[in-house]
Amino acid sequence: EVQLVESGGGLVQPGRSLKLSCAASGFTFSDYNMAWVRQAPTKGLEWVASISYGGSNTHYGDSVKGRFTISRDNAKSTLYLQMDSLRSEDTATYYCARHWITPSLYFDYWGQGVMVTVSS
Amino acid sequence: DIQMTQSPSSLPASLGERVTISCRASQGISNNLNWYQQKPDGTIKPLIYYTSNLQSGVPSRFSGSGSGTDYSLTISSLEPEDFAMYYCQQDASFPLTFGSGTKLEIK
């Protein structure tokens, strides 16, 4: 059974950093592109970033480009999101998601999400 | 960037009713359109990929159609568990974008 379990969320002050993790199991992690999608309170879904299965290619949404870094450790079957220079508008639930087989960018599995609150 | 316009934002409906949710892209996306369901507890479930292909395990009362810039999700006969939020998403190109969502609620 495919499982994606996010961790690392919490309350952080504006301008500070936070690193999210997503532990994957039930599939060969290194075969799949992965992504982060977020949802601000009472808002819709917003794609944040994607990374290729080997980690060499990354893409970011405009709202996080230059501040967030997506990475992965295939040996640990773990996806990361390093979030720097956090702003109040980054407050959201962050979901880890698996992209379907390459080259599709459809999200075929999602985690339960982890909450990040940026506030002083 | 490709903008996704989803309608309606709210859809009151009754059990057993047939409903349709629409999604329009700001440019052609060559059927690269997917649908997701989100329950109140935040759980997100993939429903349909590449316009009309049902994700494994999704009931056959769900269907998708469309082409070019216009796409739709149809539920043929509403069941209690179908009342939720629905989002479309284009994966034709980065940045990936979602529609603003449709809340399917009990009339």
Side-chain angles (χ1 to χ4, degrees), chain A residues 17-79:
Chain A
S17 299
L18 198 65
K19 188 172 185 176
L20 304 182
S21 299
C22 170
S25 60
F27 65 102
T28 303
F29 183 70
S30 58
D31 285 349
Y32 289 87
N33 302 330
M34 298 293 295
W36 291 96
V37 177
R38 70 183 181 183
Q39 184 173 39
T42 74
K43 301 297 185 182
L45 300 172
E46 178 189 15
W47 168 75
V48 173
S50 292
I51 187 168
S52 61
Y53 54 89
S56 58
N57 292 314
T58 58
H59 299 270
Y60 295 92
D62 288 343
S63 61
V64 306
K65 202 172 295 182
R67 300 188 300 121
F68 288 13
T69 303
I70 188 172
S71 63
R72 63 192 297 159
D73 185 335
N74 285 344
K76 294 183 178 179
S77 296
T78 302
L79 177 72

Side-chain angles (χ1 to χ4, degrees), chain A residues 74-90:
Chain A
N74 285 344
K76 294 183 178 179
S77 296
T78 302
L79 177 72
Y80 302 102
L81 185 67
Q82 175 67 44
M83 303 185 292
D84 298 323
S85 303
L86 281 161
R87 306 166 179 168
S88 57
E89 54 264 38
D90 295 319

Side-chain angles (χ1 to χ4, degrees), chain A residues 35 37-39 43-50 58-62 95 99-100 103-112, chain B residues 1 34-36 38 41-50 53-55 87 89 91-100:
Chain A
V37 177
R38 70 183 181 183
Q39 184 173 39
K43 301 297 185 182
L45 300 172
E46 178 189 15
W47 168 75
V48 173
S50 292
T58 58
H59 299 270
Y60 295 92
D62 288 343
Y95 294 93
H99 282 298
W100 194 44
S104 172
L105 296 171
Y106 166 62
F107 303 109
D108 67 344
Y109 283 94
W110 296 68
Q112 284 297 109
Chain B
D1 297 2
N34 311 308
W35 292 95
Y36 305 90
Q38 185 177 34
D41 69 355
T43 302
I44 298 172
K45 177 182 178 181
L47 294 176
I48 289 173
Y49 61 96
Y50 200 64
N53 297 277
L54 249 58
Q55 175 76 16
Y87 293 93
Q89 175 238 340
D91 67 343
S93 65
F94 287 109
L96 307 178
T97 46
F98 290 88
S100 55

